[in-house]
Amino acid sequence: MRPKAWWVVGAALLLLLGLAQEVDPREEAKRQKELLLQTAGILPTELVVQQGEELFHRKGPSGKTMAECDFGLGKGVLEGAAARLPRYFLDTGRVEDLDHRILTCMTKVQGFPKEAVKRSEVVAVAFYIASKSTGHRINVRLLFPQEKELYALGEKLFYARTGARDVGCATCHVTYVGKRAGVLPYADVLGKDQSWTHWPAYRYSNDQTWTMQDRIRACYGNIAHPQPDLYSLPILALELFLAYHNNGAVVEEWPAFVR
Ligand code: HEC
């Protein structure tokens, strides 16, 4: 072959290599994780979990720590609790997810004023509590009427299409599943890809810690739809709907480490 031909072959190989790297974002995440472990000796997820644990044991204005709060399985019981959220809570009379329940704990039990609760602290505590569900199966139920109602709202929102582009969650996550959005394929968030278990997570691509609430809000942002507020009903409804469809999925590692 002439030198020019070699150049073409080389370029084609590089392209293939690039494509191969794009093929599996999960494999790439694993590689990045190994790299970080080798260079830093600790993962950002672990640091945030530690921070969350400290906040969990910090006393609030009422003198109580978060161990006084019930995350669904009884006061202070964390083992497997996050895998069973969202769920209905009798004491607040509403369905809550992990983020919302942490907020309830900090305001109603620990006595922090709502304005004083930092989002970064809620996320850190969510990382810590979620870490206690690694290895558990997602088990979300629709027993209370409030849960059934919220699920129905989540289903409606998931299939709704809005905006100038007439798109909704299902456009990307049902119709276009597997097709590529830049680097990442659109996930089957209602089953095959077990997406519910990928959050809360540390995203190495932009060095951010996200819970599922942040993930869903970002997707609303992608379609230029006004983002529902954190802790709001539409977010909780979509979460319950997604979690229910991911029932039975095993949490490989919470918090996760993703692109
Ligand atoms: C325009 C296409 C598009 C629409 C519409 C969209 N998403 Fe996404 N979604 C994406 C992309 C792309 C990703 C992956 C991006 C990333 O992780 O960087 C993603 C990721 C997700 C994930 C995480 C998947 C996983 O396995 O980690 C969930 C859950 C999700 N979206 C839910 C929703 C919900 C709920 C809606 C409706 C409010 C929605 N998405 C609307 C494109 C979309």
Side-chain angles (χ1 to χ4, degrees):
M1 257 190 280
R2 284 175 298 147
K4 200 168 169 199
W6 278 115
W7 187 86
V8 173
V9 170
L13 272 176
L14 275 178
L15 191 75
L16 273 176
L17 216 76
L19 284 177
Q21 267 188 354
E22 276 186 18
V23 165
D24 197 342
R26 308 261 142 78
E27 284 304 315
E28 180 58 14
K30 263 188 207 149
R31 217 177 57 86
Q32 293 287 342
K33 193 170 157 184
E34 283 305 314
L35 266 172
L36 252 176
L37 264 176
Q38 278 166 21
T39 49
I42 188 163
L43 291 174
T45 39
E46 294 172 56
L47 291 172
V48 180
V49 166
Q50 279 173 14
Q51 191 197 341
E53 185 171 8
E54 280 160 27
L55 290 167
F56 188 89
H57 295 292
R58 171 188 66 173
K59 281 187 184 152
S62 72
K64 291 182 177 164
T65 73
M66 297 187 93
E68 296 295 319
C69 301
D70 174 10
F71 289 91
L73 301 179
K75 250 190 206 176
V77 181
L78 300 185
E79 192 65 38
R84 288 166 164 264
L85 293 171
R87 69 193 289 160
Y88 177 76
F89 286 90
L90 279 165
D91 57 5
T92 53
R94 55 186 301 170
V95 178
E96 300 181 73
D97 70 342
L98 184 54
D99 306 40
H100 197 287
R101 195 61 186 167
I102 291 167
L103 188 65
T104 297
C105 172
M106 291 173 103
T107 52
K108 297 223 156 57
V109 179
Q110 290 196 287
F112 287 107
K114 202 173 170 188
E115 324 72 71
V117 175
K118 290 198 199 105
R119 175 64 186 160
S120 60
E121 294 188 351
V122 173
V123 174
V125 176
F127 269 46
Y128 170 59
I129 296 178
S131 75
K132 302 285 181 189
S133 281
T134 297
H136 286 254
R137 274 181 200 279
I138 302 302
N139 182 5
V140 170
R141 289 175 290 182
L142 305 177
L143 299 175
F144 292 90
Q146 290 87 346
E147 290 167 341
K148 291 180 185 145
E149 264 168 46
L150 201 67
Y151 175 93
L153 174 63
E155 183 172 37
K156 208 174 106 194
L157 291 170
F158 189 82
Y159 290 104
R161 299 158 73 109
T162 54
R165 279 182 273 162
D166 193 32
V167 287
C169 316
T171 312
C172 295
H173 293 298
V174 176
T175 314
Y176 293 149
V177 163
K179 294 215 170 85
R180 263 174 202 294
V183 196
L184 292 168
Y186 292 123
D188 171 7
V189 296
L190 294 185
K192 180 174 68 61
D193 289 320
Q194 309 202 329
S195 299
W196 183 259
T197 64
H198 303 155
W199 310 90
Y202 169 75
R203 301 191 65 195
Y204 67 82
S205 58
N206 54 8
D207 189 26
Q208 285 176 338
T209 46
W210 276 11
T211 70
M212 187 54 110
Q213 293 217 1
D214 302 298
R215 177 62 264 177
I216 294 175
R217 290 182 80 238
C219 272
Y220 267 115
N222 287 343
I223 53 175
H225 185 285
Q227 292 178 334
D229 289 339
L230 283 166
Y231 315 108
S232 67
L233 212 59
I235 300 283
L236 291 168
L238 279 163
E239 284 192 311
L240 184 58
F241 176 69
L242 291 175
Y244 188 76
H245 281 271
N246 281 258
N247 263 340
V250 176
V251 178
E252 274 178 37
E253 186 179 36
W254 259 353
F257 185 96
V258 303
R259 185 170 189 288

